[in-house]
Amino acid sequence: MARPRKPLLSTDRIVETARALVDTEGLAAVSTRRLAAELGVSGPSLYNHFRTKDEILEAVADSVSAQVDLSMFEDGRDWRTALHDWAVSYRGALRDHPNIVPVLARGPGRRPAALRLADAAYGAMVEAGWPPAQATSIGALMRYFIMGSALGSFAGGFVDDASAYDPADYPHLGQAHLLAEQQEKIDERAFETGLTALLDGLALQYEQVRQHT
């Protein structure tokens, strides 16, 4: 009986394996040697698809950008609702793959999915009536906010040891040791609070823009 053939090495398979490695062990775990071992191939065979480790990480980053829903910019939702829904989807993708955020934070570079993401958001804002310069600023603002929210947990940054918060030194942190156990709830609420405030501010600016056009 013929032996089952190993799955053919492909760009997608390399990216999927690298993404899983980044998710579980972090960026430092990725090397061509480690990937080759995970894929069951020789190291040099990876160079038929990627020239360097950095190219692999760029491809992993772009695969995460590709998970962000962009349909809200095409289905008739108003600009504010579209931005809100896009931000939630964007943050969800980063929350699922937090270890790749430092690579994504460098900007889109030449990554196709990241450029499509930027193009969709910018184009929707211009079509909604925002001047191009302000549409660019909105894209930057949203990116800062979403990336920042994904770089680390606010609630998870507090230790769950009550003795760390001596009331003599920190009179207002008597409940801080409880934050970590409610990390997801607190972080989600903080994101929505910030997003609402951001969109409220943009809505005021939008009214001013419309009055002058």
Side-chain angles (χ1 to χ4, degrees):
M1 181 180 296
R3 294 180 180 179
R5 298 178 62 186
K6 291 182 179 179
L8 293 175
L9 189 61
S10 66
T11 297
D12 287 347
R13 187 169 168 236
I14 294 170
V15 171
E16 289 171 6
T17 302
R19 186 173 62 230
L21 195 56
V22 171
D23 286 345
T24 55
E25 298 185 36
L27 293 172
V30 178
S31 68
T32 52
R33 178 179 296 182
R34 177 70 185 279
L35 277 176
E38 294 285 334
L39 290 161
V41 300
S42 63
S45 63
L46 296 178
Y47 296 116
N48 293 323
H49 301 271
F50 296 99
R51 291 175 296 178
T52 65
K53 167 188 168 179
D54 284 344
E55 283 192 359
I56 295 172
L57 291 177
E58 286 287 310
V60 170
D62 211 39
S63 74
V64 173
S65 292
Q67 296 175 14
V68 180
D69 183 16
L70 300 178
S71 65
M72 65 285 297
F73 295 128
E74 303 168 352
D75 61 10
R77 273 173 263 190
D78 66 272
W79 70 265
R80 178 180 173 139
T81 302
L83 274 185
H84 174 277
D85 296 347
W86 173 65
V88 170
S89 177
Y90 200 162
R91 180 172 180 264
L94 301 189
R95 185 185 55 222
D96 291 343
H97 307 281
N99 292 334
I100 199 64
V101 172
V103 178
L104 286 163
R106 298 172 192 165
R110 297 178 180 272
R111 299 193 297 268
L115 289 170
R116 283 193 293 272
L117 186 154
D119 180 74
Y122 172 80
M125 295 305 101
V126 171
E127 289 178 7
W130 286 98
Q134 286 179 276
T136 298
S137 296
I138 290 170
L141 171 64
M142 297 298 291
R143 183 169 168 274
Y144 297 152
F145 177 68
I146 297 164
M147 290 284 180
S149 74
L151 284 173
S153 164
F154 170 80
F158 291 84
V159 299
D160 60 1
D161 180 2
S163 67
Y165 309 101
D166 189 327
D169 295 321
Y170 316 110
H172 306 296
L173 297 181
Q175 301 297 308
H177 64 288
L178 302 175
L179 292 175
E181 68 183 32
Q182 301 181 57
Q183 176 178 330
E184 184 174 352
K185 178 181 178 180
I186 292 171
D187 289 347
E188 288 288 340
R189 188 171 62 214
F191 179 77
E192 280 292 339
T193 298
L195 183 57
T196 298
L198 187 156
L199 294 173
D200 283 348
L202 287 177
L204 292 175
Q205 292 186 33
Y206 186 71
E207 288 304 314
Q208 295 176 355
V209 166
R210 302 303 290 172
Q211 289 173 9
H212 292 87
T213 56

